[in-house]
Amino acid sequence: MIATIVWTIVIITVLGLVLAAILYFIAKRFKVEEDPRIDEVEAVMPGANCGGCGFAGCRAFAEAAVKAPNLDNNYCPVGGNPVMQKVAAILGYEVKEKLPMVAVVRCNGTCENRPRTNYYDGLKSCKVKAALYTGDTGCSFGCLGCGDCVSVCKFDAISMDPDTGLPVVDETKCTACGACVKACPKGIIELRNKGPRNLRVFVSCINKDKGAVARKACKAACIGCGLCVKTCPHDAITLVDNVAYIDYEKCKLCRKCVAVCPTGAIHDVNFPKPVERVSKQKPAVVKTPVEKTVKTEA
Amino acid sequence: MSHTFSIGGIHPGERKISRDCSIEAMPVPDTVYISVAQHIGAPAKPIVAVGDKVVTGQPIAEPGGFVSAYIHSSVSGTVKSIGPRKDLAGKQQTTIEISVEGDEWAEDIDRTDSLVTVIPDDNKAILEKIRTCGVVGLGGATFPTHVKLSPPPGKKCETLIINGCECEPYLTSDFRTMMEKGEQVVVGTAIIKQVLGVDKAVIAIEDNKPEAISHMKEIIEKLFKLSSKFSGISVMPMISKYPEGGEKQLIDAVMHRQVKSGGLPIDVGAVVQNIATALAIYDAVQKNKPIIENSITVTGDCLEKQRNLMVRVGTPLSYIMDYAGGIPADAVKIISGGPMMGKAVSNPDAATLKGTSAILFLTSPQTERKIQSQCIRCGRCAEACPMGLEPFLLNKLALNDDDEGLEANAAQDCIECGCCLYSCPANIPLLDVIRVAKAKILGIIKARAKAAAQSK
Amino acid sequence: MTMTKLQLITKGFIKDNPTFVLVLGMCPTLATTTSAINGMSMGLATLFVLVLSNMAISAVAPYVPDKVHIPAYIVIIATFVTVLQFLMQAYTPAMYETLGLFIPLIVVNCIVLGRAEAFANKHTVIESACDGLGIGLGFTLSLTLLGMVREILGTGSVFGWKFITGDGILAFVMAPGAFLCLGYLMVLFNKLAKKNK
Amino acid sequence: MNRLIVSPSPHLHAEVSVRSLMLDVVIALLPAVVVSVIFYGLRELSVLAVSVISCVLLEYLITKYLLKKQNTTGDLSAVVTGILLALNLPATTPWWIVFIGSVVAIGVAKMTFGGIGQNVFNPALTGRVFLLISFPKYLTRWEIPTGLFGKGMGTDAVSGATPLTAIKEGLMQGSSVHDIMTAHGYSYGQMLFSNIGGSAGEACAIAIIIGFVYLLLRKVIKPYITLSILGTVAIVSCLFWLGDPSRFTDPLFNLLTGGLLLGSTFMATDYATSPMSIKGGLIFGIGIGFITLMIRYFGSYPEGVSFAILIMNSLVPLLNRWFKQKKYGRA
Amino acid sequence: MNEILHKGRIVEMDRDFTTVEIISASACASCHAAGLCGVSEYTKKAIKVPSALSTNHHVGDEVDVALKQSMGNKAVWIAYAIPLMILMALILILSSLHLEELYVGLFSIAGVAVYYFCIFLFRKVLAKEYIFYIKN
Amino acid sequence: MVLCLFTVCLACSSVLAAVYVVTKAPIDKAAAAKTTKAIALVVPDFDSDPEESAVSLNGQEMNYYTVRKNGEIAGYAIESTTSGFGGPLTLMVGVTPDGKVYNTSVLVCNETPGLGAKCLTDKAFINQFKNLDPAVEHLSVKKDGGDVDAITASTITSRAYTLAISNAVEAFKNIKGE
Amino acid sequence: MEYFLIIISAIFVNNIVLSQFLGICPFLGVSNKLSTATGMSAAVCFVITLSTIVTYLLNKYLLDPYGLTFLQTIAFILVIAALVQTVEIVLKKTSPSLYQALGIYLPLITTNCAVLGVAITVVTKQFTFGDPAHMLNLGEAAVYAFATAVGYGVAMIIFSGIREHLALNDVPKPFRGIPIALVTASILAMAFMGFSGLV
Ligand SMILES: Cc1cc2nc3c(=O)[nH]c(=O)nc-3n(C[C@H](O)[C@H](O)[C@H](O)COP(=O)(O)O)c2cc1C
Ligand SMILES: Cc1cc2nc3c(=O)[nH]c(=O)nc-3n(C[C@H](O)[C@H](O)[C@H](O)COP(=O)(O)O)c2cc1C
Ligand SMILES: Cc1cc2nc3c(=O)[nH]c(=O)nc-3n(C[C@H](O)[C@H](O)[C@H](O)COP(=O)(O)O)c2cc1C
Ligand SMILES: Cc1cc2nc3c(=O)[nH]c(=O)nc-3n(C[C@H](O)[C@H](O)[C@H](O)CO)c2cc1C
Ligand code: SF4
Ligand code: SF4
Ligand code: SF4
Ligand code: SF4
Ligand code: FES
């Protein structure tokens, strides 16, 4: 009995020490120097791993943020400023406030505005369709309606409106990750400033055709008439290749351009009252298909 | 003894219903619209200005690069505009619009029907003729012929294959060309043979065109008696199977060699030219006539009268359709080209190009895609693929964005023949997906090659 | 983000359930759940080792240099496992026989060493005990659940109480049934867990 | 001009559809179904009915309520599964066991993997093997064929052994193959045209061969897999048999008994669970043939086709990976 | 194609070598339970890649370090398969000689040790062969 | 560091040794109880420790235990192995000094669950062998002309079971003969 | 013949994963790519065989003579841990490039209960081929360990093939990953039951 006890102790101790010696070498070889802040940062990240920040995932972002000298180039579009504040607090950096962004669809070629010229019968994919031809309407710039943007959105923020055949962005869900922007073969979706109290004005068309051609293809097309450019008191609008573009940094939301646009190509969203239209003609916009209006928390 | 290629292939039916209609010249329209992007490679650069008077056969655009081609006016008249116009897919292409006034031809063109069998000896001059006459491959790819006929140094052509397979259902313009202009085709063949310096030329014709086979055999025999320049040309009957006329498949069938992935036919000592291209070469070299017209099959089961028409380049499709009696009431799809590889027309106002070979009308039951279900892994697509690929796998890899897998499984080798999509019982749009994936992979390969070249 | 002791104990039930969520310790989970009672015994055995080793490790952790903590922990854990073996052999020999190989294998159960490394290492004895209790209870619960399902389907009884005459679906007490039940339970569990959230 | 359809090429499509293929399989199975009903009577009919109806119903319910996908029952693949499952069970199987088999076949082996074409294992066989393991009492009781108007649904059916079971049992007692065969009075003619005990589908070899020829003519299946299975069984059993004819059964016996013909014609050729390339198919077949014989000769189960097919099913992804058809221009 | 990829980040670059830190080389580290299971050693390993093969990258870039699959297979072969065969062969041969089991066992293990020593002697050759390179 | 590990090892091994010492007695008792329990199941009441010995039958060694009550031999528990459907089937067969089978229990069974494995649970089958007099009843299954009702669809197992018992009875005769 | 039976039994009839339930965690964790699965299998084979031999000797020449078999658990785990680490060090010292190429597999093996499971089985299990009370000798122990590990490799490789295939299919969302792997393992286990009785 005593022998058993002694042997027990001897064997275990010797084995333990041999093992320890070996493990000691190992441990010396790879010391894991992990910055504990990486875990902390990762913990405050949204965890969507969407890649919207340009890194492989939230952890990769956290590592990059910890390593970087400041946070200028690291911004999580999904978490937005609140998350970045937290990250900054952990790391002791300043964050530049970024204006919240949202995806907008710059096409107003609803079924009514844009008469169909043919039917597409291939794989329901904008990419495939775009590679084949310009689409089933006369407009060769507009939305193809197969919803590539819808399927890439990880946040369920885009859906196809069956009435208009156009995608609709739910601005409460959109995190401005930009996945849809990349997915659209037509370059229709743009990330824009969300705007004060979610008020925005933008040109919902990218048709570069000459006015007459554009108009024939779509009632709501921007025809490049330049009225808005002349009207805008803040020099926010430029006209290139027959389309107007409103620079959101300069736009003061006066909506004068909306009033003069003869085709209703300029959209104003979330404004409480519609603007008085100057042109006699009924605007082509039947319903505002671009954004779901939401109650905003100031 | 008929020959055929060794991998895959399908029998989509022949439907050569316009085979007995001889080629008739179609009246010249009031206006033609000639695109400067009629060939593979850089678009041509217009050399005329708005308001210029032009005559038929006069060059109106010059090559925009090494792989590019001359373009000639197909009518006489005044240049009305030069600017963007929609092609048959609705894309804007720079187009020269010419309103037709009379039918005055450039003087040096020999417009007689006489057969010129004496072939000039100066190969350089011949190539120059081919170049200045804007000859491009008429078998589908419209690759500038003079480039193809100048193999890079070190590469030697051993066999010239003249592609008379016309393996697509419905198409008959090559067949009619062989029947009506067989002599010219053979002389064209002899010219290519001489330019390439090969001893052997094979005219490959599918055995569903027995008349053409015997007719061409007779002509070769006849011409062989005239001159030794016509020696070494033979006719090879091919088993009717789609895509027998595919360049790679044809080389496999005729020479039992396979072009390596990413390689060119010349790597295995082959040059393939279409029947109509051979005719165009004859016209260019012997008659000084550039490509200003081509034969187009106008067909479809729903069409009352089938036709093979000789049409000036740049004629609006709608004009041809009106001439042929308008669009049939039950036609839902108009295809430029054959039903397997042709392009569906979304803009009937688009004009013909040099390479336009057919206008085909299909009805809804013939063409409409059936509801797609899940892949049942029946293997029919893989069995049909003439490149030995696994379309079902490529489809899944593409949907999973697995670029490495796509490249490893040779998505870049797809020749877009459509055999897979045709065969799939689950109606999976295989080729739709693979085509996009192939483009992506080719882009990656190209970028990689470029990077490798840079780092050297 | 520190958790209360209660949270520590309950987190293993759903949120960090070692079987259905973390997918750890699969071997005993599959092998010993031929009946509810076997599953439960295995769970309790693991719980025993987990709690004691967690406590012991958190007690000695401050004095064990970093470099040798793995061997030290292995020794500690193996000791408790062997103690468990002695106790079971002495007082529940039948159950010891049934669970067989899987009792000594508790040593290599990822859960045990994992908790030692990830938790006990850095926490107090009490907290570590709670943590071990929580994870161990979670493990016990899911093993019992799995054992119950397999027993019901496989033999038509629960905890040995037979409620149908005749046989059950025998495959469920055999290897295929183990995998099958675990697979479907995992889906079901995660669905319910998500709904509860 | 707005009725024009535009789509990528090709613009023509072959006539076959999933439904037409499955319909062909059902037609090819009809001889075996008819023969089994003739031999085993109404009970077999009820097994078939329960199996087919529950397979189809389960697929419908699962696609509709659990997966919320497009309904796929119209493609008839569940009907094929149902028929094959039924043909693999004894006619005496109680209806609730058949139902459990369908649940495993459709619910577990097919729909869990995502439905038609996605499954790794043959659904009908998974169902059958599950039942064999779970209810050996019912699955090892074979009824002597009694004919269409023989005994009804009663309990007093005469139960007997299948030839393979008889052989296995006899060998265990130390008899020789020849003695067992003569004791039971088995003849090859009987095996070809029926009247031996076994699952309904193996009752009559001729009926299955007719189905095989039909499938070949309709180009639904390729002969490689089936023939390589049969060839392997023939050759390997021949070797064993020549070695010791008292312990090992002869090739013809092996070809005609058990579910070998049924399995190699209808189950090993299932698209989703067999290799794509010819070479892969040959190896697949050889594997099935070999494993089947090993189980028959040395294992404790008298019959091994089902297991052999399932085991080789699991290798299909690897076979597909390692044995691809030759690509053009790639040595 | 046929490569084993490791995600890594460049930590150092000089004219000859680019040092890449492999972030999740261990399958464990990317495992869902990594946080819980301390044994899985979330290791960072530095791998040196010839700089010539990694054009236009910068310190901090996330890159894929690739090892040719055939190389990976060969590595597995050299490190495990061959010693395993040696071990089995020795055990079987020696035990068929009816030696005392202790010696059979010790000799076999010694055989493996000798094998590893041989690898040690050839380490230069191996080092050349197992080149890692940076992808994209 | 070494010291620390040393301490841990020392502590642990001491704990182990201590627990070992404490539990040694109960463990040995439990192990002994296991055999005794198996024996007690198949023989009549006894008060002695079972005596283990072996007997050979047709060249095969068979283990058996002799138990006594008040010094008198109360019975023999004979381990008997035959081959069943799924492998060896080992029984403990209790035989009373007058040569009757007192009871049987299964030690090793690899039979198919639901079929042969019923020999562990099927009361009707097992009870046939309680207090069975081999002189009166014919020890083989009905199919082979004996008196034993086989388990449904498991003739092979039943045969093996029966054979094991009759082997034990034969062995008993040898024991007696010695 | 004995060896042959051991091999068939260990690979097919009593497959370590599909019927003995050992080493399931890495089996589920590392079997999603064929290349990793192959590497892992080779590593496991080597480690299982080597450590079985060592623990066998330890048991026979150290524990058994001194009546210490109750220390098996603790002694074996220590030896195995040390052994795995030794291999790692040896590899690292001898050929750093080799080591870099393999780094993935080693840490996984330490937590693999298959290694300890086989080591314990070998010294406790009685094999019933012929003689019911026969304990394995060293040669048989090595063959048994090797064959068991090959069985692990076979299961792993088959499985990785299936999982790579499943990754391309649309398995219903809740089943993706581990659950479908378990269902697959279930059917595979059923199929492997066909081998029962082979030895
Ligand atoms: C981008 C490109 C480059 C080519 N370069 C050559 C060349 O250098 N020499 C040559 O003989 N053919 C060349 N070809 C022609 C092809 O070999 C082939 O004849 C042509 O694509 C027509 O084939 P298809 O109608 O089967 O598509 C080239 C084709 C393409 C598309
Ligand atoms: C699938 C497929 C089918 C083809 N079928 C034909 C055909 O039937 N006849 C033909 O002349 N060219 C056919 N081609 C084009 C040939 O590959 C090749 O481009 C042509 O013969 C080269 O001659 P060219 O440069 O004179 O056009 C086909 C190409 C593909 C990809
Ligand atoms: C999967 C399977 C397992 C079996 N297991 C057993 C068994 O454990 N015991 C047995 O005696 N027979 C077993 N058998 C054999 C059959 O049940 C055989 O038909 C039976 O032993 C003889 O039938 P009978 O007992 O009704 O006369 C098995 C057969 C199969 C197919
Ligand atoms: C030739 C052929 C054989 C088939 N064999 C089977 C079979 O053995 N078992 C089965 O469940 N379904 C079978 N099916 C039906 C169907 O393909 C099967 O359910 C798929 O496995 C579902 O993915 C078969 C279908 C065809 C076309
Ligand atoms: S709508 Fe576009 S930008 Fe907004 S979350 Fe979705 S994908 Fe990202
Ligand atoms: S916005 Fe772009 S991606 Fe979205 S449906 Fe329209 S074309 Fe497609
Ligand atoms: S389209 Fe491409 S993938 Fe499809 S059959 Fe043709 S070559 Fe093969
Ligand atoms: S033909 Fe269609 S269903 Fe058949 S394997 Fe190919 S993709 Fe799948
Ligand atoms: S590997 Fe066996 S429990 Fe994890």
Side-chain angles (χ1 to χ4, degrees), chain C residues 22-24 113-115 117-118, chain E residues 32-33 35-39 41:
Chain C
L22 306 175
V23 197
L24 292 172
L113 199 51
R115 284 332 280 178
E117 272 285 294
Chain E
H32 56 105
L36 202 84
C37 171
V39 195
E41 278 189 78

Side-chain angles (χ1 to χ4, degrees), chain G residues 113-195:
Chain G
C113 62
V115 185
L116 182 60
V118 173
I120 297 182
T121 313
V122 159
V123 298
T124 49
K125 184 168 177 171
Q126 297 167 1
F127 285 79
T128 45
F129 318 119
D131 177 6
H134 175 75
M135 298 294 289
L136 296 178
N137 63 32
L138 179 60
E140 286 163 350
V143 171
Y144 174 79
F146 174 70
T148 306
V150 170
Y152 193 74
V154 168
M156 208 57 176
I157 289 170
I158 290 182
F159 222 66
S160 62
I162 296 178
R163 287 184 73 179
E164 278 193 13
H165 165 86
L166 289 178
L168 287 180
N169 280 350
D170 17 293
V171 173
K173 264 229 179 69
F175 281 95
R176 300 231 175 114
I178 303 285
I180 194 72
L182 286 167
V183 175
T184 311
S186 164
I187 304 179
L188 199 55
M190 267 187 235
F192 267 59
M193 287 183 80
F195 288 125

Side-chain angles (χ1 to χ4, degrees), chain A residues 116-122 128 132-133, chain D residues 1-9 13:
Chain A
R116 195 178 254 293
T117 58
N118 59 75
Y119 290 86
Y120 175 68
D121 187 28
V128 170
L132 179 69
Y133 76 131
Chain D
M1 250 354 288
N2 58 10
R3 67 192 154 100
L4 277 192
I5 291 178
V6 178
S7 71
S9 66
H13 306 285

Side-chain angles (χ1 to χ4, degrees), chain B residues 137-139 148 163 166-167 243 245-247 272-274 277 341 417:
Chain B
L138 300 178
K148 209 186 211 177
N163 189 346
E166 204 157 54
C167 58
E247 191 168 55
V272 182
Q273 291 289 345
N274 170 250
T277 316
M341 305 239 343
C417 64

